[in-house]
Amino acid sequence: WKDRGAAVSLRREVDADGRTVIRSVKKGVRDFNFGKVLGEGSYSTVFFATDRQTLREYAIKVLEKKHIIKEKKIKYVNIEKNTLNRLTDHPGIVRLYYTFQDESSLYYVLDLCNGGELLGVLKKTGTFDVECTRFYGAQILDAVDYMHSRGVIHRDLKPENVLLDDQMHVKITDFGTAKLLLDPRSPRPPEDAAEEERTASFVGTAEYVSPELLTDKSAGKASDLWAFGCIIYQLLAGRPPFKGATEYLTFQRIVNLEYEFPAGFPPAARDLVERCLVLDPNRRLTVEHIKNHEFFDGQNFSKDLWRVKAPRLR
Ligand SMILES: NC(=O)c1nn(CC2CCNCC2)c2c1CCc1cnc(N=C3C=CCC=C3)nc1-2
């Protein structure tokens, strides 16, 4: 596990001759004050942390080595690090500053999102109006477009993984289950790669998982756009489109496309959702189609999208 990024701290020490020397050493656990737990995954815990020298605040994701090995999650840990290393330069993606390790754990130093989860904000307001849905939908779409352009498929997009920063702007997180498309420049994968993909065990969160992942276990960029359609529906309706009493019943509703729109659901948004929630991934809207859809008429998808003030949530 090669550490990434070199963050050094200057440490004043006394050498053997009693002289005070300043050494530059790679940052480690001792350079941070760890605060409250922000979230716990099956093999990681994310803490609020402050750099003791610069006082900058971060989220530090801590992964216990022996647990990762015992649970055979090394592959996921490497996927997440390789994914974060590809997604280095977009305002809508939680940024990995650097990593370090000690004998027991691995540490990822990440952007801190003080605004919490989009889901939390949605629960407070119940539903979003069209203006807020357009703003957050546009930011999520722009971040997904960047991810896909870098050959990354998130595979578990949902309002819990859409975090908010101090400006209430979107920061997408949790790439531990992402799928990395092979670099087009690299040699073609062996034929059995497709087979291996089909035997892949990972499935996202029930309410947002795409039908193709349930039927033939293949996930492509269109799988993230299925989840995008579910999120747009949920922001306006206050609940996800597919929700059964059990996971199995939720899956059944998805593969049978069983969902309705509540009365008063805005027509342009309804048309957009209907064209994202298409069973055949090849007939689903692509990012470009969605950007040009009537629902986003007049929406600016340039860098300004990340400079404008977030609309007041109502
Ligand atoms: N899995 C992760 O990488 C991750 N998990 N969290 C906390 C989770 C809580 C449950 N929903 C998904 C996120 C984070 C990160 C990245 C880095 C990261 C940065 N800031 C926050 N901030 C939060 C603030 C309040 C509540 C939750 C998260 N959280 C994270």
Side-chain angles (χ1 to χ4, degrees):
W1 198 73
K2 219 164 66 54
D3 281 346
R4 173 184 175 270
V8 293
S9 61
L10 301 179
R11 204 161 282 163
R12 181 190 310 274
E13 292 177 355
V14 177
D15 70 7
D17 307 327
R19 282 192 303 256
T20 300
V21 292
I22 303 286
R23 277 190 217 286
S24 97
V25 290
K26 208 169 158 349
K27 278 197 191 283
V29 192
R30 290 182 353 176
D31 294 297
F32 295 91
N33 283 335
F34 282 76
K36 66 177 181 174
V37 170
L38 295 171
E40 301 197 68
S42 50
Y43 54 99
S44 64
T45 304
V46 181
F47 294 89
F48 173 93
T50 310
D51 182 316
R52 295 165 65 177
Q53 273 171 331
T54 65
L55 297 186
R56 285 183 64 177
E57 296 176 335
Y58 295 98
I60 298 188
K61 186 169 189 172
V62 185
L63 301 94
E64 206 185 335
K65 288 180 181 175
K66 68 174 185 316
H67 184 58
I68 292 167
I69 294 163
K70 187 160 78 58
E71 300 292 315
K72 299 187 174 52
K73 298 282 186 189
I74 295 176
K75 179 180 149 206
Y76 284 108
V77 171
N78 285 320
I79 287 174
E80 180 163 36
K81 201 161 78 82
N82 296 339
T83 302
L84 289 168
N85 285 341
R86 280 198 195 186
L87 305 176
T88 52
D89 181 26
H90 193 279
I93 310 254
V94 164
R95 186 175 150 204
L96 171 65
Y97 291 94
Y98 47 87
T99 63
F100 53 81
Q101 59 182 298
D102 58 20
E103 61 291 336
S104 66
S105 304
L106 306 172
Y107 301 84
Y108 293 58
V109 180
L110 298 153
D111 268 324
L112 173 67
C113 302
N114 279 312
E117 301 170 1
L118 182 64
L119 181 69
V121 170
L122 179 64
K123 280 185 174 163
K124 277 197 201 102
T125 60
T127 61
F128 279 12
D129 63 13
V130 168
E131 186 201 3
C132 290
T133 302
R134 272 167 52 103
F135 175 79
Y136 284 104
Q139 288 208 330
I140 293 168
L141 188 68
D142 197 57
V144 168
D145 192 12
Y146 169 78
M147 253 180 245
H148 289 179
S149 72
R150 313 285 296 143
V152 172
I153 299 167
H154 189 285
R155 294 204 297 182
D156 196 16
L157 271 185
K158 53 185 176 178
E160 294 91 319
N161 285 338
V162 178
L163 299 181
L164 299 166
D165 64 13
D166 297 333
Q167 317 304 321
M168 295 305 275
H169 281 193
V170 155
K171 288 248 185 241
I172 292 179
T173 189
D174 208 343
F175 291 87
T177 51
K179 179 178 168 191
L180 285 184
L181 298 178
L182 287 172
D183 183 326
R185 293 187 301 271
S186 68
R188 281 191 57 68
E191 275 324 300
D192 58 9
E195 185 44 40
E196 195 243 319
E197 156 75 33
R198 256 184 289 290
T199 52
S201 57
F202 173 71
V203 159
T205 304
E207 287 80 2
Y208 308 91
V209 79
S210 59
E212 62 272 15
L213 211 63
L214 294 171
T215 49
D216 60 349
K217 292 199 174 183
S218 69
K221 294 179 179 179
S223 307
D224 284 342
L225 297 176
W226 172 279
F228 178 79
C230 293
I231 292 170
I232 295 295
Y233 177 102
Q234 183 169 354
L235 295 182
L236 288 163
R239 60 174 176 80
F242 306 101
K243 178 90 184 136
T246 65
E247 273 204 355
Y248 177 78
L249 291 172
T250 301
F251 292 153
Q252 224 174 6
R253 290 183 183 204
I254 290 167
V255 296
N256 296 319
L257 207 59
E258 279 169 36
Y259 76 106
E260 303 87 30
F261 290 93
F265 198 91
R270 173 171 179 143
D271 185 76
L272 172 62
V273 169
E274 284 173 343
R275 294 174 191 277
C276 290
L277 301 187
V278 170
L279 291 177
D280 178 353
N282 301 308
R283 295 186 53 251
R284 218 169 282 160
L285 289 191
T286 63
V287 166
E288 271 326 294
H289 289 138
I290 298 172
K291 285 186 173 181
N292 293 311
H293 187 278
E294 177 200 352
F295 179 70
F296 284 115
D297 266 1
Q299 179 63 49
N300 180 326
F301 281 96
S302 72
K303 284 195 183 322
D304 293 354
L305 173 58
W306 299 91
R307 291 197 195 106
V308 296
K309 211 162 145 334
R312 248 163 50 73
L313 288 156
R314 49 176 182 272

